[in-house]
């Protein structure tokens, strides 16, 4: 049989094998470097061996192999002391250790339960979307706030900064295959590169509820009702009623009000979008600066004064005196407040024309939940957006919805001392008293888990003092001890940790 060239292109896929094979490779490398052998006239040196190993790692495609990509690449060559990696998450993002994860799950479960109570169906979308989906809705300036890039297929993509454009895309995609009206909700992660303030991060989770296909104010009334229901479930209503009823409430502004004021002073519709953008700055820059920008845009001084007066109105009665009662805006607002009484949340809402929210985007009533003390930014907000779908080249459909971020409401609950106690709760902790009883202990844990009980199985041989401390830390209700003599008799020892009561029970009778 002819001799074949020696091949050293070994690739170790299991890290635990390295301790066995690395010494072999080191030894082989040493011998080759001192006295390189030859096979069929080919000399092998240490460099050739390392080259062969490197080539094997490069030619094995991670995607073709289906394994972890990192497993097929040679590790970096480390010389000297290894510098510790930055253990903090990227600026503006968060880790969720167990205690934070329990709080997040509690909040998300409340989001989902309220949505279920109102008959909404859950949907979801990719976190990564086409960049154009967001620039179509918000303009090219949104790029400054996007985490966007060009992928390997030369496509411009972005991490979603909000959920509504993805919702619109899905509705357009489904077309007539889904009957209207749609009542959809989602809880998803959003990314936006912006200045951080209290309750505002560069990533957050958001609860959206949207109603597609209903043109009347009844849709807004139901959405606001769902927000109030959520507030009540997480304890905010009780706090409001205990101190100031209007401390946490919803405020509303009619988009049509501005239209009617501008029409009164013969301001062309072509200026409406620009005026809206300027008005949106009212809480961000001095009022005098707002006046200057409005007049520079072509709005007369008299119209500016009237507009700012309307925006200072705090009651529907006063607004009606200024604009009359025949306009669509007044009619919609009056109907909304009438419905609020029927839904049972009239004490939660008030009219406040100074609340300006996305006027170039919304087309009807908008609403915003906020902290009256002014310590936090808006907790939630939404409104009607009947013209969104045509932005994406489809026929417009009546639509309204809201977004409710997780970070702000958690800050609010923390501020008011309303965070729930969400410590870990376990039904059982199971411990083997001897190392050779680990198998029987695993059997006990399996039997309990099959019956739906939460079980912490002690995986190592530990002293009882350690076991009791762990049981107390994890709020376990019962401790099961698997002892040799008890196991031989077909029983285990059980201790109720709250009372100290102890008893023995057969394995199949454990509950």
């Amino acid at each position: 049989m002819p001799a074949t060239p020696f091949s050293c292109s070994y690739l170790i896929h299991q890290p635990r094998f390295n301790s066995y094979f690395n010494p072999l490779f080191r030894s082989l490398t040493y011998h080759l470097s001192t006295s390189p052998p030859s096979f069929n006239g080919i000399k092998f040196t240490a460099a050739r061996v390392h080259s062969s190993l490197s080539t094997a790692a490069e030619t094995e495609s991670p995607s073709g192999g289906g394994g972890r990509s990192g497993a097929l690449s040679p590790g970096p060559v480390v010389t000297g002391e290894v510098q510790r990696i930055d253990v903090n998450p990227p600026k503006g993002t968060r880790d969720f250790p167990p205690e934070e994860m329990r709080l997040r799950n509690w909040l998300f479960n409340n989001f989902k339960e309220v949505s279920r109570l109102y008959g909404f169906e859950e949907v979801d979308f990719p976190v990564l979307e086409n960049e154009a989906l967001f620039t179509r809705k918000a303009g090219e300036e949104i790029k400054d706030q996007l985490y966007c890039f060009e992928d390997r297929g030369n496509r411009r993509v972005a991490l979603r900064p909000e959920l509504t454009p993805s919702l619109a895309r899905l509705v357009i995609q489904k077309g007539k295959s889904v009957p209207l009206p749609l009542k959809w909700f989602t809880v998803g992660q959003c990314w936006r590169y912006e200045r951080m303030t209290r309750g505002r991060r560069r990533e957050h989770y958001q609860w959206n509820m949207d109603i597609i296909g209903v043109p009347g104010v009844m849709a807004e009334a139901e959405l606001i009702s769902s927000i109030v229901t959520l507030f009540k479930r997480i304890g905010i209503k009780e706090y409001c009623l205990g101190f100031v009823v209007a401390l946490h409430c919803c405020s509303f502004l009619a988009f049509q009000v501005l239209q009617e004021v501008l029409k009164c002073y013969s301001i062309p519709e072509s200026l409406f979008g620009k005026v809206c953008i300027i008005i949106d700055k009212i809480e961000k820059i001095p009022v005098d600066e707002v006046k200057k920008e409005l007049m520079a845009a072509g709005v007369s001084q008299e119209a500016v004064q009237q507009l700012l007066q309307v925006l200072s109105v705090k009651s529907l009665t006063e607004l009606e005196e200024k604009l009359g009662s025949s306009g669509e805006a007044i009619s919609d607002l009056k109907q909304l407040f009438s419905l609020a009484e029927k839904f049972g949340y009239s004490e939660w809402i008030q009219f406040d024309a100074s609340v300006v929210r996305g006027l170039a985007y919304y087309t009807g009533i908008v609403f915003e939940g906020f902290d009256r003390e002014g310590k936090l930014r808006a907790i939630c907000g939404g409104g009607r957006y009947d013209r969104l779908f045509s932005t994406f080249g489809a026929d417009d459909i009546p639509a309204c919805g809201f977004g409710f971020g997780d970070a702000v409401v958690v800050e609010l609950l923390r501020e008011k001392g309303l965070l729930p106690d969400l410590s870990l709760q376990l039904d059982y902790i199971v411990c083997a008293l001897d190392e050779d009883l680990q198998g029987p202990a695993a059997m006990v844990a399996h039997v309990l888990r099959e019956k739906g009980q939460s079980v912490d199985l002690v995986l190592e041989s530990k002293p009882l003092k350690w076991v009791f401390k762990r049981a107390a830390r994890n709020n376990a209700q019962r401790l099961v001890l698997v002892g040799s003599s008890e196991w031989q008799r077909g029983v285990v020892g059980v201790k109720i940790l709250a009372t100290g009561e102890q008893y023995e029970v057969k394995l199949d009778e454990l509950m």
Side-chain angles (χ1 to χ4, degrees):
M1 183 175 180
T4 56
F6 175 73
S7 174
C8 289
S9 56
Y10 293 100
L11 188 62
I12 307 305
H13 293 276
Q14 294 294 334
R16 67 176 181 270
F17 292 160
N18 290 343
S19 59
Y20 301 103
F21 285 97
N22 280 346
L24 173 63
F25 286 141
R26 292 193 191 100
S27 175
L28 180 60
T29 300
Y30 171 77
H31 287 298
L32 291 175
S33 63
T34 54
S35 179
S38 63
F39 297 89
N40 281 1
I42 300 175
K43 287 189 176 182
F44 284 84
T45 65
R48 183 180 291 274
V49 172
H50 285 298
S51 174
S52 181
L53 290 171
S54 176
T55 302
E58 291 172 1
T59 56
E60 292 274 358
S61 169
S63 60
R68 297 184 182 180
S69 59
L72 296 176
S73 302
V77 177
V78 179
T79 58
E81 185 178 353
V82 179
Q83 184 176 1
R84 181 172 176 171
I85 194 170
D86 183 0
V87 297
N88 295 309
K91 188 175 182 179
T93 66
R94 298 167 288 175
D95 290 318
F96 288 91
E99 62 277 7
E100 295 294 331
M101 199 68 196
R102 287 194 291 271
L103 178 60
R104 192 179 98 178
N105 287 338
W106 170 82
L107 182 61
F108 287 12
N109 288 339
N110 275 291
F111 288 160
K112 294 181 179 183
E113 178 59 15
V114 169
S115 302
R116 185 194 68 81
L117 290 173
Y118 281 76
F120 280 62
E121 294 183 281
E122 187 171 12
V123 293
D124 199 5
F125 329 101
V127 174
L128 189 69
E129 288 275 19
N130 291 319
E131 183 184 81
L133 191 66
F134 308 111
T135 56
R136 283 278 193 98
K137 173 181 176 283
E140 289 294 319
E141 59 271 16
I142 190 65
K143 286 185 178 180
D144 292 336
Q145 297 182 8
L146 291 180
Y147 284 89
C148 53
F149 58 94
E150 190 172 281
D151 70 8
R152 293 181 182 180
N154 300 319
R155 293 172 289 262
R156 293 295 305 175
V157 293
L159 296 178
R160 63 188 180 199
E162 57 172 318
L163 298 168
T164 307
S166 297
L167 170 82
R169 178 184 57 72
L170 183 59
V171 172
I172 295 169
Q173 177 201 119
K174 291 298 181 184
K176 294 182 179 179
S177 66
V178 287
L180 299 179
L182 302 176
K183 296 173 75 175
W184 285 357
F185 85 94
T186 188
V187 180
Q189 191 178 35
C190 300
W191 295 80
R192 191 183 288 264
Y193 193 90
E194 60 183 351
R195 186 175 66 86
M196 294 180 296
T197 58
R198 186 180 178 192
R200 183 192 290 269
R201 295 180 171 86
R202 289 175 178 168
E203 63 81 22
H204 71 282
Y205 286 86
Q206 187 164 299
W207 171 43
N208 274 32
M209 290 179 71
D210 294 86
I211 299 175
I212 313 296
V214 177
V217 179
M218 189 74 176
E220 285 94 329
E222 172 141 283
L223 289 173
I224 297 164
S225 177
S226 68
I227 295 172
V228 172
T229 300
L230 187 279
F231 282 156
K232 291 178 180 178
R233 285 181 65 91
I234 63 178
I236 291 177
K237 179 179 184 294
E238 286 76 6
Y239 177 82
C240 293
L241 293 177
F243 293 88
V244 182
V245 174
L247 180 62
H248 306 105
C249 62
C250 295
S251 294
F252 303 89
L253 167 70
F255 175 89
Q256 300 101 315
V257 169
L258 291 178
Q259 286 182 316
E260 290 175 18
V261 172
L262 297 178
K263 284 178 183 177
C264 286
Y265 292 91
S266 302
I267 297 170
E269 285 190 15
S270 59
L271 282 180
F272 187 75
K274 192 170 185 179
V275 169
C276 287
I277 292 171
I278 296 169
I279 291 172
D280 199 25
K281 301 176 183 178
I282 281 180
E283 294 185 354
K284 303 170 186 174
I285 63 175
V287 175
D288 288 341
E289 291 296 319
V290 173
K291 289 180 181 179
K292 288 179 183 178
E293 290 194 26
L294 286 171
M295 287 189 285
V299 183
S300 68
Q301 185 174 358
E302 186 181 3
V304 169
Q305 287 298 122
Q306 179 67 14
L307 187 57
L308 293 177
Q309 283 181 16
V310 170
L311 291 175
S312 67
V313 168
K314 301 294 182 182
S315 73
L316 272 177
T317 303
E318 189 180 351
L319 184 69
E320 200 169 355
E321 290 173 358
K322 290 183 177 294
L323 299 178
S325 58
S326 60
E328 184 183 351
I330 301 295
S331 175
D332 284 351
L333 285 168
K334 289 172 74 173
Q335 184 184 358
L336 176 66
F337 276 78
S338 175
L339 288 169
E341 293 183 6
K342 307 299 187 298
F343 274 101
Y345 60 81
S346 58
E347 74 277 8
W348 283 80
I349 67 171
Q350 69 178 59
F351 177 76
D352 185 350
S354 67
V355 176
V356 180
R357 183 180 182 86
L359 294 179
Y361 163 61
Y362 290 110
T363 59
I365 292 172
V366 299
F367 48 92
E368 187 173 279
F370 63 94
D371 176 10
R372 277 289 191 184
E373 292 184 352
K375 294 182 179 180
L376 298 167
R377 59 184 288 268
I379 300 163
C380 60
R384 179 162 291 276
Y385 51 92
D386 288 348
R387 300 194 187 107
L388 177 63
F389 291 89
S390 59
T391 304
F392 302 120
D395 294 333
D396 277 321
I397 309 171
C400 59
F402 69 79
F404 194 120
D406 71 317
V408 185
V409 74
V410 167
E411 286 292 331
L412 176 66
L413 292 170
R414 185 174 285 115
E415 176 76 24
K416 308 305 177 188
L418 295 172
L419 285 176
D421 179 13
L422 298 170
S423 54
L424 179 63
Q425 302 287 333
L426 286 173
D427 296 318
Y428 285 91
I429 184 166
V430 176
C431 175
L433 294 178
D434 297 308
E435 192 169 349
D436 58 357
L437 290 172
Q438 291 282 19
M443 188 185 302
V444 171
H446 171 72
V447 168
L448 289 168
R449 289 165 180 162
E450 286 288 300
K451 295 179 179 179
Q453 304 295 308
S454 56
V455 180
D456 179 17
L457 175 63
V458 178
L459 302 174
E460 301 174 275
S461 179
K462 292 288 186 180
L464 278 177
K465 184 178 180 180
W466 182 94
V467 175
F468 277 105
K469 282 185 178 179
R470 183 173 179 84
R473 186 169 58 251
N474 292 342
N475 296 301
Q477 295 183 23
R478 291 176 172 83
L479 169 63
V480 177
L481 295 174
V482 183
S484 179
S485 62
E486 290 85 358
W487 189 253
Q488 289 177 4
R489 292 186 284 114
V491 298
V492 293
V494 178
K495 182 175 181 126
I496 302 176
L497 296 171
T499 64
E501 178 187 352
Q502 297 182 146
Y503 59 90
E504 292 183 348
V505 63
K506 292 181 180 179
L507 182 60
D508 57 0
E509 294 176 1
L510 269 173
M511 295 295 292

